[in-house]
Amino acid sequence: MKEDFYDILGVSKNASDAEIKKAYRKKAIEFHPDKNPGDKTAEEKFKKAAEAYEILSDADKRARYDQFGHQAFEGGGGFGGGGGMNMDDIFSQFGDIFGGGFGGFGGFGGGGRQRRVKGSNLRIRVRLTLEEIANGVEKKIKVKRKIQAPGTTYKTCGTCNGTGQVTRITNTILGRMQTATACSTCGGAGQIIDHKPVDADAQGLKVTEETVSIKIPPGVEDGMQLKVAGKGNEAPGNGIAGDLLVAIEEQDHPELQREGNNLHYDLYVSFSEAALGTSREIDTVSGKVRIKIEEGVQSGKILRLRGKGIPSLNGYGKGDLLVHVNVWTPKTLNKEQREFFERMAKDDHFKPNPDSGEKSFFEKVKDMFS
Ligand SMILES: [Zn+2]
């Protein structure tokens, strides 16, 4: 039983021509013999993908295949009779798939363009306080990165004459075919080291400690990653430097809890403060703020300080600071205090009576929807 052509390319039965082409391009690159030398399984997959593409990229053949399946191409039909396409057929397809002739392959571009080697990325963590996150901060961090050692010089690679790739030409019944692979002498860069100082590594690089300035915008979150382009390890020759990836770590605040862009603060007041009213200075991410607690405040009341939260990362709007009022109940009482509260307990005025004054939370919610 032959494998379904759509399954081979990993596309659905109603995939568009563009989707089919894209899927095939991916498979061809993945299983290309130049990338998998001596791997028979890869070669087989490479051939199967090419065969599937040959049929599905042609409207007539695709229609016949949809109607009759593999039988449509058995016993003559130009194709499929003898176990699929040969390699020459496959390479001759590439012109329209990859553009730029048969050499244009993999990451090497068409027409002998050399590859720019990129240096490796570096990763660091930065621990930030909630205040730093709220206001944004510029951090100066010492980073050990590889740079091109002073005194290193490069020359054109003799193996590939600076093109970064070597071309293999084979004679086939269809004519001369060529395939290109990265030059193994220079790794595709087109340049090799001419002179380097003794303290440089094989690529002419050396590790230095550098202070990198990292601008952190307001509103970042724990686990986010920022990229400082070009501050990773440098690459040899005319290559481009890698990036510095900065992982954000958020320090717990002693008093404020973050929830998205809102902050929460637990405020504790005594019985008497709740009854008489009071004012308190509390910590926010933008300094201290004095807030007023009205007399007769109930435990559980939430005071909303608009805009005193964390700014959103996209620059639009700020979260709020939500102050939760908790009436503090002492856990132990001496004799005198006990007598005081026992006297209070006899006074009906201190019996909870939520129906009088302020509406309860549930009543407020009910009002909102009625
Ligand atoms: Zn080379």
Side-chain angles (χ1 to χ4, degrees):
M1 185 71 189
K2 279 188 82 165
E3 218 178 317
D4 182 75
F5 286 152
Y6 292 97
D7 289 348
I8 290 170
L9 294 183
V11 295
S12 71
K13 292 260 186 286
N14 45 29
S16 68
D17 289 354
E19 284 172 318
I20 287 169
K21 193 169 182 174
K22 195 175 159 204
Y24 174 52
R25 194 179 194 279
K26 224 175 117 196
K27 298 274 179 201
I29 289 171
E30 185 182 353
F31 300 119
H32 193 277
D34 284 349
K35 262 187 138 178
N36 305 276
D39 182 345
K40 283 283 163 205
T41 322
E43 191 182 315
E44 208 42 55
K45 285 183 171 166
F46 183 69
K47 283 183 175 172
K48 275 185 177 176
E51 191 182 352
Y53 178 73
E54 172 74 12
I55 302 300
L56 299 184
S57 62
D58 178 313
D60 279 350
K61 288 179 184 171
R62 185 177 175 183
R64 274 199 289 153
Y65 176 71
D66 285 345
Q67 198 175 355
F68 302 111
H70 290 291
Q71 279 183 332
F73 306 100
E74 245 128 52
F79 202 81
M85 301 166 84
N86 66 41
M87 282 302 197
D88 293 332
D89 295 332
I90 296 169
F91 288 121
S92 70
Q93 267 186 350
F94 282 170
D96 84 295
I97 306 292
F98 298 101
F102 309 123
F105 214 124
F108 313 127
R113 191 151 35 89
Q114 76 195 31
R115 183 169 58 160
R116 289 196 74 185
V117 177
K118 194 179 177 194
S120 51
N121 292 338
L122 289 172
R123 280 160 215 278
I124 55 161
R125 292 179 163 278
V126 171
R127 263 171 84 76
L128 301 174
T129 65
L130 206 52
E131 286 84 356
E132 288 172 329
I133 286 173
N135 302 304
V137 66
E138 188 167 348
K139 287 271 178 188
K140 298 204 186 304
I141 308 274
K142 279 188 177 157
V143 177
K144 281 197 167 110
R145 57 189 294 255
K146 285 183 187 173
I147 58 158
Q148 286 188 6
T152 304
T153 55
Y154 297 88
K155 63 182 180 189
T156 301
C157 171
T159 309
C160 63
N161 290 318
T163 62
Q165 50 183 294
V166 287
T167 308
R168 200 175 64 208
I169 296 174
T170 42
N171 290 309
T172 72
I173 49 163
L174 295 171
R176 278 151 64 89
M177 295 290 166
Q178 50 173 297
T179 51
T181 51
C183 171
S184 58
T185 308
C186 63
Q191 290 180 307
I192 54 168
I193 288 171
D194 191 13
H195 294 291
K196 67 178 179 73
V198 282
D199 60 343
D201 68 10
Q203 292 183 297
L205 303 175
K206 67 185 250 186
V207 176
T208 55
E209 195 175 66
E210 200 176 300
T211 304
V212 178
S213 174
I214 302 164
K215 264 204 158 84
I216 294 159
V220 294
E221 263 176 67
D222 194 89
M224 274 184 179
Q225 190 173 263
L226 304 176
K227 188 172 88 176
V228 186
K231 286 295 176 187
N233 289 322
E234 287 188 349
N238 59 6
I240 48 175
D243 302 321
L244 177 63
L245 304 173
V246 183
I248 301 295
E249 249 179 53
E250 184 179 319
Q251 276 177 46
D252 283 341
H253 191 279
E255 286 172 29
L256 298 169
Q257 275 93 46
R258 181 175 181 180
E259 185 193 24
N261 289 334
N262 286 337
L263 296 173
H264 296 270
Y265 180 88
D266 267 319
L267 179 75
Y268 288 90
V269 297
S270 67
F271 288 142
S272 42
E273 283 175 318
L276 302 169
T278 185
S279 87
R280 280 290 185 79
E281 198 168 64
I282 64 165
D283 259 342
T284 76
V285 285
S286 48
K288 290 197 184 298
V289 163
R290 184 159 283 279
I291 56 166
K292 196 172 182 236
I293 318 293
E294 300 289 340
E295 62 179 71
V297 71
Q298 300 298 337
S299 197
K301 184 171 175 75
I302 298 167
L303 307 171
R304 184 181 288 264
L305 306 185
R306 295 210 179 267
K308 292 283 179 197
I310 305 287
S312 68
L313 192 56
N314 61 26
Y316 297 104
K318 271 185 169 190
D320 301 328
L321 172 56
L322 302 162
V323 179
H324 300 256
V325 176
N326 301 274
V327 174
W328 176 257
T329 311
K331 288 176 178 157
T332 58
L333 298 170
N334 63 25
K335 186 163 172 285
E336 213 176 307
Q337 290 157 346
R338 186 166 293 279
E339 282 167 7
F340 172 77
F341 281 112
E342 277 167 357
R343 232 175 316 127
M344 218 171 169
K346 285 176 192 143
D347 188 334
D348 278 350
H349 184 68
F350 294 109
K351 283 202 172 138
N353 185 12
D355 296 337
S356 66
E358 203 171 325
K359 287 178 175 172
S360 75
F361 174 74
F362 295 104
E363 282 169 328
K364 281 186 206 162
V365 171
K366 241 167 71 185
D367 286 349
M368 276 167 68
F369 292 99
S370 64

